[in-house]
Amino acid sequence: MVIAVAVMMRISSVLLVISVMLIPLAGYLNKQISNILKKKSDVIFKCKENMNYNIRQILDGFYSIKAYGLEERFTAILARDTEKLKRLEKEKDKLDAIQGRLAIALRYMPQLIVPLQINREKIQQLTADLDKNI
């Protein structure tokens, strides 16, 4: 581990900081966002399940609802559930977009920084030093 860090420090200090600090931090953030997304998905699933149950109950008792004039009450219940579901799905979509951007950044970060930081002289010097040590 120490040798690997020393070699990476010799190649590029920026690359060392990215690979030792930023990539694990981004992985941790990705994990936390994934946990939040799972919880939100569970809440959305339960909300849809509740909405389906309400619709089934309304359809089963349609004639009773009509007879007692309770259409407005059940319309309000369905409207409330629909708005809650829309809000939850919008929040989940925002977090999903953040997670996607983070994954893209993780995938391409080393590819963007390595060519900028490493020059051929350092690599040739490093390989020469490694050949001497072997």
Side-chain angles (χ1 to χ4, degrees), residues 23-110:
I23 291 177
L25 177 66
Y28 174 77
L29 290 174
N30 193 14
K31 180 181 175 187
Q32 294 302 317
I33 292 172
S34 295
N35 289 341
I36 293 169
L37 280 171
K38 184 182 181 307
K39 289 177 186 174
K40 287 203 177 283
S41 295
D42 291 343
V43 169
I44 288 171
F45 179 76
K46 287 179 183 176
C47 185
K48 286 181 179 179
E49 186 177 280
N50 186 29
M51 193 172 189
N52 285 338
Y53 175 77
N54 287 341
I55 290 171
R56 193 174 333 119
Q57 291 298 320
I58 289 169
L59 292 175
D60 286 346
F62 180 72
Y63 293 111
S64 300
I65 291 169
K66 280 293 245 189
Y68 290 105
L70 299 173
E71 298 96 347
E72 294 83 20
R73 178 175 176 227
F74 287 100
T75 303
I77 289 172
L78 288 176
R80 185 190 68 219
D81 288 349
T82 303
E83 288 301 318
K84 180 180 178 183
L85 189 60
K86 284 181 185 177
R87 181 180 48 81
L88 290 172
E89 285 181 342
K90 188 179 280 188
E91 290 174 6
K92 182 183 171 286
D93 289 344
K94 285 180 184 177
L95 284 173
D96 202 16
I98 291 171
Q99 185 182 25
R101 290 182 186 124
L102 185 61
I104 289 171
L106 277 175
R107 182 180 302 145
Y108 293 113
M109 188 184 306

